[in-house]
Amino acid sequence: MTIKSLVANVPSLTKALVSTVLCLSIASYIYIYRLQSDADPDTTPLSISPFIGLLPGFVMYAPWTFLTAAFYESNIITLSISVVVLLFCGKYLERAWGSRELLKFILITAVLSNVVTWFGILLSYYISGDDKFLYQVQINGMSGVFSAFLVAFKHLIPEHRIAIMGGKVSIRVKNLLGVATAVSIISLILFQAIVFYNLVNIGWVIGWVYIRFFKYQDGIQGDRSETFAIQTFFPEFLHPVITVISNVVYGALVKLNCCKPGPRTYHDLEIGNIAPVPGSARAEAERRRALALKALDMRLSKGPTSNSASAEPALGSKPDAVLFDADENTPSSSTTTDDLDSKK
């Protein structure tokens, strides 16, 4: 597959997102280059673009950076990774959800993850009193959006396997978020990447909240199934603790009218102690069935010949198997002879 054919098959919104990331990142590189070239030889200016990236102490003069910072990657390596991830993940989600729903999901996760990370940086400044948190720490990158993408994939195709290293290593989609969280923790410990750590772990929580309680799919708001409960994102030994915390938070949000109560109480909703009401269970089953069929159709459309080729040997391996037996509806020869004798 050539690059031209790959780009030609990308939906319109994904193309626009990739173009936005490229334009904002290149504009920031030009700004930083000119800033460094005009600076005194004795000084070393920071590689910061305060009008595109989110600078905590400067955000009051550039509030739009809560959005633009998500589409700005500060180096070529992260820019290349973001373009590749957007091309493949954005293409899949846009076809599964539609352009409007994907754009809404990206805007919500990008802005809210930047806002929460900005608040955490301010809190670090007030605790430590160090000015570097205000003017030397820049919030930028698609990390929060990409971790929310992993939540979306867990919701759509949790059991799908991704093969890497030529098929030698495979991992289920539902486990990718754990890998991303581990990478963020390692980056925080080794490189003090506090922004990357916050964006990854805040982004997936925001993505889960949106899909769990607010996203509409086939006329149903949210996904209240037990397989998508918050504790399923954590190791099993943490499930009791996470369940208690999630129940308390959910109950507080319902009282504040931030989200609607489900057909069950929030405690049983997260644990699954009682069965749902028949109407909601039927609607939920139909919604998940439609999503599974859509994902299956997308996979079959990519390689129908391989599936048919694999199905033929399966039928040929059982020569005795009969799909339709004509003898069942055709009288035998002995029966026919007896009938003739009786008539005579």
Side-chain angles (χ1 to χ4, degrees):
M1 180 180 294
T2 62
I3 297 178
K4 183 178 180 180
S5 61
L6 177 63
V7 175
N9 295 328
V10 175
S12 57
L13 177 61
T14 304
K15 289 182 181 179
L17 293 172
V18 172
S19 301
T20 302
V21 172
L22 289 173
C23 291
L24 291 180
S25 299
I26 293 174
S28 299
Y29 300 158
I30 296 174
Y31 170 81
I32 294 172
Y33 173 77
R34 297 190 62 178
L35 186 66
Q36 293 177 347
S37 61
D38 295 338
D40 295 333
D42 298 334
T43 61
T44 304
L46 297 173
S47 298
I48 289 175
S49 180
F51 295 101
I52 298 179
L54 200 164
L55 201 62
F58 192 75
V59 70
M60 65 182 66
Y61 303 105
W64 59 85
T65 56
F66 281 116
L67 176 61
T68 59
F71 300 95
Y72 160 45
E73 296 292 350
S74 57
N75 59 75
I76 299 297
I77 297 177
T78 56
L79 176 61
S80 303
I81 294 174
S82 295
V83 169
V84 172
V85 173
L86 273 177
L87 282 175
F88 287 96
C89 297
K91 179 173 65 174
Y92 185 93
L93 291 177
E94 186 172 357
R95 290 174 176 173
W97 285 354
S99 300
R100 183 176 179 180
E101 185 60 41
L102 177 60
L103 179 61
K104 185 193 302 184
F105 183 73
I106 290 176
L107 292 179
I108 290 174
T109 54
V111 173
L112 291 183
S113 57
N114 284 340
V115 169
V116 177
T117 302
W118 169 74
F119 181 78
I121 297 297
L122 286 183
L123 186 62
S124 299
Y125 162 72
Y126 286 118
I127 293 176
S128 64
D130 194 345
D131 291 343
K132 74 175 184 180
F133 288 106
L134 295 181
Y135 302 106
Q136 298 183 22
V137 176
Q138 180 177 250
I139 302 171
N140 66 280
M142 297 286 292
S143 303
V145 176
F146 290 159
S147 64
F149 278 2
L150 296 180
V151 176
F153 283 120
K154 174 180 169 63
H155 177 251
L156 293 173
I157 46 173
E159 301 299 329
H160 183 74
R161 285 186 177 272
I162 296 179
I164 57 178
M165 299 177 62
K168 297 180 180 179
V169 179
S170 63
I171 184 172
R172 294 186 185 274
V173 168
K174 63 181 181 181
N175 298 325
L176 288 175
L177 186 59
V179 176
T181 303
V183 171
S184 69
I185 296 174
I186 295 173
S187 300
L188 178 65
I189 296 174
L190 298 181
F191 309 108
Q192 288 77 46
I194 184 173
V195 173
F196 175 72
Y197 172 81
N198 286 337
L199 288 177
V200 168
N201 294 282
I202 292 170
W204 78 259
V205 173
I206 294 173
W208 175 83
V209 170
Y210 177 74
I211 297 175
R212 178 76 167 176
F213 300 108
F214 300 104
K215 181 183 179 297
Y216 280 91
Q217 184 74 27
D218 299 330
I220 303 174
Q221 185 179 18
D223 182 1
R224 305 300 181 92
S225 62
E226 289 79 12
T227 56
F228 197 63
I230 186 65
Q231 64 264 21
T232 61
F233 290 82
F234 294 87
E236 189 173 356
F237 69 91
L238 292 176
H239 285 188
V241 178
I242 300 299
T243 301
V244 172
I245 297 175
S246 63
N247 291 337
V248 173
V249 173
Y250 180 75
L253 291 176
V254 170
K255 291 181 180 179
L256 295 174
N257 294 324
C258 294
C259 59
K260 298 179 182 179
R264 296 175 283 178
T265 62
Y266 62 87
H267 182 269
D268 292 324
L269 180 66
E270 295 296 332
I271 299 180
N273 285 337
I274 60 176
V277 295
S280 63
R282 187 181 304 111
E284 174 67 18
E286 288 296 327
R287 186 189 68 81
R288 298 187 72 84
R289 177 176 174 272
L291 289 176
L293 290 176
K294 183 182 292 186
L296 180 61
D297 291 339
M298 293 176 65
R299 293 182 61 185
L300 291 177
S301 63
K302 295 180 180 179
T305 58
S306 62
N307 292 337
S308 61
S310 61
E312 290 177 359
L315 293 176
S317 61
K318 295 182 178 181
D320 297 335
V322 179
L323 299 179
F324 178 77
D325 191 357
D327 293 339
E328 293 178 357
N329 298 324
T330 304
S332 62
S333 58
S334 61
T335 305
T336 306
T337 305
D338 295 339
D339 291 341
L340 291 175
D341 294 339
S342 62
K343 289 181 180 180
K344 290 179 181 179

